[in-house]
Amino acid sequence: MPSGGADFEPLFLRVLLVEDHAVNREVALGMLENLGCSTVVAENGWLAVEALNDPGFDLVLMDCQMPVMDGYAATQHIRARELKQRLPRTPIV
C-alpha cells in the first residue's frame, strides 16, 4: 500500500522498463511493484527491441540516452516492426 494509507486497485500491467542506470532501475522497479505491475527490465534499447519479440506488454517505459541503442532508435525499430507485422502499437513513454 502506498504511504499515506490511500486505498487503490493494483494496476496488473505488464511493463517493460528500459533503463541503463542501476539506481534509476531500482527506484522505478520499486514504484512499479507498489503499483501492482509485473516488470521486465532491459538495460539498453537493443535489449528492449529483443524483449518486445515477446508479446503481451501493456506499456514500455523507455529511457532516451543509453549505450548500444538509445531510446529513440529503439522506438523507431519497435514502430517499424509493429507496422510491418500489423501489430497493435504498444504505448511507449
Side-chain angles (χ1 to χ4, degrees):
M1 180 178 296
S3 62
D7 292 329
F8 75 101
E9 293 292 320
L11 295 178
F12 299 115
L13 295 176
R14 186 165 182 237
V15 177
L16 176 60
L17 173 64
V18 189
E19 173 60 62
D20 64 315
H21 192 273
V23 173
N24 292 346
R25 271 195 316 270
E26 289 304 313
V27 170
L29 280 170
M31 294 171 74
L32 291 165
E33 181 180 304
N34 286 340
L35 291 170
C37 298
S38 169
T39 307
V40 173
V41 174
E43 295 181 7
N44 62 58
W46 179 251
L47 294 174
V49 171
E50 291 297 310
L52 285 166
N53 283 324
D54 178 19
F57 286 99
D58 298 301
L59 175 67
V60 177
L61 296 177
M62 180 81 72
D63 186 10
C64 294
Q65 297 179 333
M66 296 177 288
V68 182
M69 179 186 288
D70 67 27
Y72 301 110
T75 299
Q76 287 178 329
H77 281 276
I78 292 163
R79 293 295 185 232
R81 179 173 53 209
E82 289 169 341
L83 185 62
K84 182 178 179 182
Q85 297 178 5
R86 297 183 181 209
L87 299 170
R89 288 172 59 109
T90 303
I92 301 174
V93 178

